[in-house]
Amino acid sequence: MNAASINYQQMIFGFLGGLGLFLFYMKYMGDGLQLAAGDRLRYILDKYTTSPFLGVLVGILITALIQSSSGTTVITIGLVGAGLLTLRQAIGIVMGANIGTTITTFIIGFNISHYALPIIFAGSLCLFFFKNRTMNNAGRILFGFGGIFFALSLMSNAMAPLRYLPAFKTLTTSLGKNPILGVFLGTGMTMAVQASSATISIIQNIYQEGLMPLKSLLPVLFGDNIGTTITAILAAIGANTSAKRLALSHTLFNVIGTVIFMLLLVPFSMYVTKMQLVFHLNPKVTIAFAHASFNIATTILLFPFIRVLEYIVVKVIKDKDKEVEEFKPKYLDIALLNAPSIAIGQVKQEMLIMVSMALENLKEAVEFFHSHNEKLATQVELTEENINSIDQEITKYLTMLSQGTLTEKEGEEISIYLDMCRDVERIGDHAFGIVKDVHYEIKKELVFSEVAHSEVNKLLGITVKLIEIAIEALKENDAEKAFSVIDLHNKLYRKEKEVRKAHIKRLSKQQCDVKAGLYYIDVISHFTRVGDHGRNLVEKMIENKASK
């Protein structure tokens, strides 16, 4: 074959089609792995990120589970932005993600393209002939896994004629003479496709076909690691300061690693070549080995300097004015929609903030009932607007989340949180309702007795305790506390009935103004309505516990 006989259209279409399929199958397999992992992702991130070292291990594990270092980094950026991880812990996770992504290149290195189509068929069987969720997830993983190798064979066949192209030979010579050009090439390729696994698979194919020497390809490999940070940078756009700092630390980490290994390019090339001979590695596994060695060594070298890295990014990206970020949802991050189990955990955190705001508003509304201080009324109205805003944001977030691929359990959780959202919003409405009732009282110059004020305080005390225990039950997923809420709800109804009877007696004895007395009934009815919504918050938890 010579340059004149190459079918350029077939070569370009074959390569682009193979690359597109590779990206699709990687995503599809990652989704299958993530669905199979389910709540374990949330559990691992909650329990095992207490130190940077554990963060590294978690980063490796999560990336192995979802087969995407970019995905792990985006999830971590979301959690840092929400304040669930410190910057130092998150840097450790990102370092681990860089190591975890090398597992993908090793999988690709063990070339099983001859079995790709049977594996795709096996995955299809699991997807279309089994209703069992576990078998469905296994089908996704197998279908994606086989598809990756099918896509790689398409790319490999498309790239084979490159050896006969004069322009490609010129590029090979240029990369050999100017390794920095290779770094820029690798960075640009990965930025374009936003998947380092795809560009590294291209390098593996090039090396397997003998189109370029190892020394020319290693700088391209280093550049891939810089290019993969573009996903983190995009995820941090519009995010808070902490998220931007993590994105910068990710970029700095990979740039510093590349600089170190570019200075050691000759000895590193010799080391990889020696290991290839000693362990009889095939060309694709050799590239995977070089990739793993680079990322592991970079992590070992820079891990002791996590504090320094943290110090640099904090100095470069200054804190914003706190008022700018006030009253915005704290935990809802669009980037986490690709990890439903974690996103649902974030919704729970946001919901708890919303419940706490509604509870504080109820207390201030009752204080306004006692004092008629207009500042309290204004504050209640502003907080009510914020509660409504969070309600809208949570609803919008859950709606977007429901459009993705979910397990049955995750679908049920979304439905539960939508119901809870409505209940919390109604608690806020009743707090604001008390304020409106008091405004009417002031306008009509109505006067409530000291006994009436005392009874309102008693109803408030039971209601506050009910909501506080509901918050604890939700936080801790504690069924026993959930049942305590039901008991308090019954107690609140008994107390409200008792207050009504006492109030009617006062009216009959003309101890209260009749107009004020009639309006007092409206005020106390708010507490039982709030109690109903507080009970609703925990009822689903009790039902779930009972069904298990």
Side-chain angles (χ1 to χ4, degrees), residues 25-42 44 60-69 72 75 100 103-104 107 127 133-145 148 338-341 405 407 410:
Y25 285 123
M26 276 295 297
K27 174 75 167 59
Y28 201 75
M29 185 176 76
D31 286 347
L33 287 162
Q34 196 160 291
L35 285 169
D39 287 342
R40 276 171 286 185
L41 281 179
R42 198 191 308 175
I44 290 165
I60 294 170
L61 182 59
I62 297 293
T63 306
L65 282 174
I66 67 174
Q67 287 295 293
S68 171
S69 61
T72 304
I75 290 169
I103 295 168
T104 309
I107 291 170
L127 278 169
R133 195 175 68 199
T134 303
M135 290 299 289
N136 261 235
N137 290 338
R140 286 175 187 275
I141 295 164
L142 285 172
F143 189 80
F145 184 70
I148 286 168
N338 290 324
S341 64
T405 307
T407 63
E410 287 164 352

Side-chain angles (χ1 to χ4, degrees), residues 400-428:
M400 287 190 290
L401 188 58
S402 67
Q403 292 166 0
T405 307
L406 303 168
T407 63
E408 187 180 340
K409 182 185 175 186
E410 287 164 352
E412 288 172 0
E413 284 186 285
I414 286 174
S415 177
I416 289 169
Y417 282 123
L418 283 169
D419 289 340
M420 287 171 66
C421 216
R422 187 175 63 247
D423 281 306
V424 179
E425 193 272 333
R426 291 294 295 136
I427 292 172

Side-chain angles (χ1 to χ4, degrees), residues 51 118 194 196 216 230 232 249 258 260 292-293 306 320 404 416 499 532:
S51 71
Q194 289 191 41
S196 60
S216 298
I230 187 66
S249 67
T258 297
I260 292 169
S293 299
I306 282 182
K320 286 182 181 178
I416 289 169
V499 168
D532 290 342

Side-chain angles (χ1 to χ4, degrees), residues 184-195:
F184 283 108
L185 180 64
T187 303
M189 287 166 61
T190 308
M191 285 175 70
V193 299
Q194 289 191 41

Side-chain angles (χ1 to χ4, degrees), residues 148-363:
I148 286 168
F149 288 99
F150 177 67
L152 286 170
S153 66
L154 290 179
M155 283 196 288
S156 181
N157 292 335
M159 286 190 288
L162 284 176
R163 69 175 77 245
Y164 303 106
L165 280 178
F168 190 78
K169 290 177 183 177
T170 304
L171 177 63
T172 304
T173 306
S174 299
L175 291 178
K177 291 178 180 177
N178 187 1
I180 293 174
L181 180 64
V183 174
F184 283 108
L185 180 64
T187 303
M189 287 166 61
T190 308
M191 285 175 70
V193 299
Q194 289 191 41
S196 60
S197 297
T199 49
I200 292 170
S201 71
I202 293 169
I203 294 170
Q204 287 176 308
N205 279 330
I206 289 172
Y207 190 51
Q208 184 181 43
E209 295 293 329
L211 300 175
M212 280 192 194
L214 183 66
K215 190 179 174 183
S216 298
L217 287 171
L218 287 177
V220 184
L221 184 71
F222 302 155
D224 285 338
N225 271 42
I226 297 174
T228 197
T229 63
I230 187 66
T231 311
I233 292 166
L234 291 172
I237 293 172
N240 65 16
T241 304
S242 298
K244 288 176 180 173
R245 285 170 176 168
L246 180 61
L248 177 60
S249 67
H250 185 210
T251 304
L252 281 176
F253 173 73
N254 284 350
V255 168
I256 292 168
T258 297
V259 170
I260 292 169
F261 275 84
M262 284 297 288
L263 295 172
L264 302 171
L265 182 59
V266 174
F268 185 63
S269 301
M270 292 169 64
Y271 161 74
V272 174
T273 305
K274 181 70 175 175
M275 292 299 103
Q276 182 180 14
L277 294 171
V278 170
F279 294 109
H280 306 289
L281 306 177
N282 70 43
K284 285 190 174 183
V285 176
T286 301
I287 295 296
F289 178 81
H291 186 218
S293 299
F294 168 72
N295 281 315
I296 292 169
T298 303
T299 300
I300 291 169
L301 287 169
L302 296 184
F303 183 79
F305 301 100
I306 282 182
R307 286 175 184 269
V308 177
L309 202 58
E310 182 185 31
Y311 177 80
I312 291 169
V313 296
V314 168
K315 285 293 180 185
V316 172
I317 301 176
K318 306 288 185 183
D319 282 312
K320 286 182 181 178
D321 184 352
K322 286 184 180 178
E323 289 183 10
V324 175
E325 295 182 333
E326 199 172 6
F327 299 130
K328 287 185 179 179
K330 185 179 179 184
Y331 294 100
L332 307 182
D333 194 303
I334 300 296
L336 294 175
L337 291 174
N338 290 324
S341 64
I342 295 170
I344 289 169
Q346 298 299 93
V347 170
K348 181 178 178 179
Q349 297 298 326
E350 198 70 53
M351 188 77 69
L352 290 169
I353 286 179
M354 190 178 167
V355 180
S356 298
M357 287 173 70
L359 179 59
E360 286 305 308
N361 235 22
L362 182 66
K363 291 178 185 176

